[in-house]
Amino acid sequence: MNQKFAQTSISLIARHLSIRSRIRTSNNMAFDLEDKLFSLSANGKVSELKSLISMSNIKLNASNQRGWTALMFAARNGHKDVVSLLVEKGANVEQQNGLGQTAYDIAAFWSQTAILSLLKQADTESQPTEPVHYFTVRHLDRANEKRKDLQWLKERLATSQLTTFILAFVKTFPVLTGDEKNYSVRKFLPKDLENFVDMENCEQSEIVFLGMRTNDETGKQECLFAVDISQETYTDIQAAFPNENLYVPKGLRDAFLLDSEEAALTGLAHSVLDWHRNCIFCQCCGYRTKFAHAGYKRECTNEDCRTVREVKNSSYLRLDPTIIVAVISTDKSKLLLAQGRRFIPNMWSCLAGFMEPGESIEDACRREVFEETGIRVGRVTYHSTQPWPFPTQIMIGLIGHATNTDITVDKSELSDAKWFSRSEVVQMMTRNHPHGYFNPPHNAIAHHLIKAFLHNTSSKI
Ligand SMILES: NC(=O)C1=CN([C@@H]2O[C@H](COP(=O)(O)OP(=O)(O)OC[C@H]3O[C@@H](n4cnc5c(N)ncnc54)[C@H](O)[C@@H]3O)[C@@H](O)[C@H]2O)C=CC1
Ligand SMILES: [Mg+2]
Ligand SMILES: [Mg+2]
Ligand SMILES: [Mg+2]
Ligand SMILES: [Zn+2]
């Protein structure tokens, strides 16, 4: 009976859609396509749907006035092939209609059991569940294979088309444009910098290739590079752009208001440029090193050096794995936070520390927490990670479960450490604490670990 009702209601919907589309004018092409997408999905016309998707630039997650998507129509009527096709082509299985139902909820309501298992599989397999932290580079094809292709790199830097952009850094800090409240990274075209940076000899100029990405507005592929320049060159560039307010922050933290994509690119470039700046001499033999692989390698110039004869990882940029942990009391009611000796006053954060060789992540966490506070941690679970470009750390975010309560503060690392109740943590997070205490901002993974404690958002708590 359900099926019969479904067919009737779907043909009503389809009729409604076609009436709607007839009264539209021709510049409503996109809506007409969407109507077609809905009705083909609702009616299980998989091959016609396939050609519609391949022939047009259709938005698969478009919804009608009630928030229904093509996936929901197909799920409602039990069209397995259509559901598989839409999921494969990238339909969002988590999207909700006006009543807050996902395609899965709709399939469950109409007892479309075959669809339920399909959507469940798609949900668990294709949807990333980890939070994406500030400084995480996304939507960038690092195009590793192009790093050794000098000819290709030179062509990209010689192009007069608006598809190559160079981020300039002064002693590893980014050149920004705008005012102090509303700024962005200045993306130079190669011709903007041709009088200041030798583009043809991109290896000698140490121009780092960051990767490629698609511009959302133009749909074109852009190549992104980064270059470190001296203070003098920067002064000349400023003079060449007299109508622009170019400036360089004193540190990366002074650019914390950059949007997340720009911050991530800036962080990546800063890490690489900082390494070049600090590794001009070989750590094995003391000879000069030279820039290679578009910035992802530094080779020793001494042919007899061990780093040239054998594979030595000192030729490549290293990361510092660093644990950071929200330690929760045995009764789960309190959170252990600390003030680092170099923190700004009144800021309380999670405990953190560098990993050492021969340690598992869990043991590094237990050691650091014990060293700094005397608290023993038993069970440790993973939360998420954050690239932290100061200069090249990877913060490994954890939840730790304490087995004792008495704190002994290591004064060489911390000014203080305390247990905080949930309500005090809320006061700190909302900046309403009576003593003016607060927690790190959203840019830092510490903020999200503290939030996980507050909202029990991590299944690991
Ligand atoms: N993203 C975030 O939310 C947060 C990030 N952090 C980062 O975590 C880092 C580590 O935390 P700490 O408590 O400072 O570590 P820590 O507890 O291991 O102590 C730092 C000391 O360890 C030594 N050390 C060992 N390996 C080191 C390395 N590879 N680089 C520098 N020093 C090393 C130095 O003597 C340094 O003074 C901090 O530098 C900070 O940048 C810290 C808190 C929050
Ligand atoms: Mg420590
Ligand atoms: Mg340490
Ligand atoms: Mg520490
Ligand atoms: Zn060497």
Side-chain angles (χ1 to χ4, degrees):
M1 199 171 97
N2 270 352
Q3 196 67 18
K4 208 162 162 202
F5 176 74
Q7 291 306 341
T8 322
S9 66
I10 288 305
S11 53
L12 277 174
I13 292 169
R15 221 162 64 208
H16 168 67
L17 292 175
S18 75
I19 293 166
R20 259 204 317 150
S21 49
R22 257 182 277 131
I23 56 174
R24 283 196 186 118
T25 56
S26 58
N27 55 9
N28 276 326
M29 274 288 287
F31 291 109
D32 292 342
L33 276 178
E34 282 165 18
D35 284 351
K36 200 155 183 201
L37 171 75
F38 297 152
S39 73
L40 292 178
S41 305
N43 291 307
K45 302 271 167 71
V46 72
S47 51
E48 287 168 58
L49 186 63
K50 228 179 234 169
S51 45
L52 178 75
I53 295 172
S54 66
M55 279 163 51
S56 59
N57 229 348
I58 200 153
K59 291 197 171 92
L60 275 190
N61 295 316
S63 55
N64 72 4
Q65 283 151 329
R66 295 182 301 130
W68 277 58
T69 62
L71 185 67
M72 293 172 192
F73 282 122
R76 158 72 180 78
N77 277 349
H79 296 306
K80 256 180 98 173
D81 294 352
V82 174
V83 168
S84 301
L85 175 72
L86 290 170
V87 169
E88 181 198 315
K89 297 288 177 192
N92 180 3
V93 295
E94 296 204 325
Q95 195 158 322
Q96 296 177 0
N97 67 11
L99 296 175
Q101 297 165 308
T102 61
Y104 183 91
D105 299 331
I106 292 166
F109 183 79
W110 292 99
S111 308
Q112 303 290 5
T113 43
I115 304 292
L116 286 182
S117 55
L118 255 181
L119 286 175
K120 194 148 205 161
Q121 207 180 350
D123 190 21
T124 52
E125 283 175 8
S126 68
Q127 299 297 312
T129 51
E130 73 277 11
V132 177
H133 295 296
Y134 198 70
F135 287 129
T136 306
V137 177
R138 307 178 84 201
H139 315 301
L140 183 76
D141 172 5
R142 291 171 186 245
N144 200 315
E145 73 285 357
K146 302 287 189 205
R147 292 177 187 163
K148 293 186 210 166
D149 190 344
L150 202 53
Q151 192 53 38
W152 184 88
L153 293 164
K154 284 184 179 180
E155 281 165 16
R156 301 279 77 74
L157 287 164
T159 184
S160 55
Q161 301 197 356
L162 308 182
T163 49
T164 292
F165 296 95
I166 306 172
L167 279 53
F169 290 73
V170 182
K171 297 181 187 159
T172 76
F173 299 123
V175 176
L176 304 177
T177 178
D179 60 48
E180 307 253 326
K181 289 205 177 98
N182 185 12
Y183 51 82
S184 57
V185 174
R186 177 63 159 94
K187 295 181 200 76
F188 293 97
L189 293 168
K191 74 172 166 49
D192 294 333
L193 297 182
E194 64 192 2
N195 295 332
F196 312 104
V197 178
D198 183 354
M199 302 282 168
E200 270 178 40
N201 295 310
C202 52
E203 289 205 302
Q204 283 77 1
S205 313
E206 306 208 344
I207 304 178
V208 174
F209 173 53
L210 299 174
M212 295 188 284
R213 68 176 179 192
T214 309
N215 182 311
D216 285 345
E217 279 162 29
T218 63
K220 284 190 179 157
Q221 279 265 301
E222 290 177 354
C223 281
L224 294 165
F225 292 85
V227 67
D228 209 21
I229 54 177
S230 65
Q231 185 61 49
E232 296 72 44
T233 307
Y234 172 58
T235 309
D236 294 344
I237 292 174
Q238 266 184 317
F241 293 91
N243 300 324
E244 259 191 75
N245 184 27
L246 297 179
Y247 72 99
V248 177
K250 289 193 185 71
L252 219 47
R253 281 185 172 82
D254 292 341
F256 259 11
L257 292 179
L258 285 174
D259 85 40
S260 56
E261 197 141 340
E262 289 204 337
L265 276 178
T266 308
L268 159 64
H270 169 82
S271 294
V272 178
L273 296 172
D274 181 84
W275 173 59
H276 286 294
R277 207 170 140 71
N278 291 324
C279 294
I280 47 180
F281 296 106
C282 174
Q283 61 177 274
C284 279
C285 74
Y287 269 56
R288 274 194 174 271
T289 55
K290 68 174 197 304
F291 182 96
H293 294 186
Y296 280 81
K297 187 173 186 187
R298 281 200 82 86
E299 285 168 347
C300 182
T301 51
N302 171 10
E303 280 176 17
D304 296 326
C305 177
R306 278 192 294 142
T307 66
V308 176
R309 285 153 159 252
E310 304 158 32
V311 179
K312 273 276 179 289
N313 56 14
S314 62
S315 305
Y316 297 93
L317 174 55
R318 318 307 305 158
L319 300 183
D320 289 324
T322 312
I323 64 90
I324 175 153
V325 56
V327 179
I328 294 171
S329 61
T330 41
D331 64 357
K332 298 192 195 316
S333 73
K334 293 194 181 68
L335 180 66
L336 179 62
L337 296 174
Q339 284 189 312
R341 282 168 57 92
R342 286 186 299 270
F343 281 10
I344 42 176
N346 290 338
M347 187 172 85
W348 293 82
S349 186
C350 295
L351 295 167
F354 293 99
M355 287 188 65
E356 296 191 357
E359 271 180 334
S360 66
I361 289 171
E362 293 82 352
D363 283 345
C365 164
R366 294 184 184 111
R367 175 184 53 74
E368 281 290 348
V369 173
F370 182 69
E371 279 174 7
E372 297 185 9
T373 63
I375 294 296
R376 293 282 184 194
V377 169
R379 191 160 67 93
V380 175
T381 52
Y382 170 78
H383 181 274
S384 58
T385 50
Q386 178 183 36
W388 193 239
F390 300 98
T392 324
Q393 295 174 34
I394 175 79
M395 302 302 303
I396 304 167
L398 305 165
I399 307 290
H401 294 267
T403 58
N404 62 332
T405 46
D406 289 342
I407 297 172
T408 312
V409 178
D410 172 7
K411 289 282 182 184
S412 67
E413 293 213 23
L414 304 176
S415 355
D416 207 355
K418 277 188 194 166
W419 289 109
F420 287 93
S421 68
R422 199 171 286 271
S423 56
E424 242 187 313
V425 176
V426 171
Q427 289 174 330
M428 287 195 281
M429 283 295 254
T430 53
R431 303 221 171 194
N432 283 318
H433 193 278
H435 303 323
Y437 294 166
F438 62 94
N439 301 126
H442 75 96
N443 317 65
I445 188 173
H447 179 94
H448 302 275
L449 293 172
I450 296 170
K451 248 189 182 163
F453 160 74
L454 275 186
H455 301 306
N456 278 341
T457 49
S458 172
S459 56
K460 290 111 189 175
I461 293 178

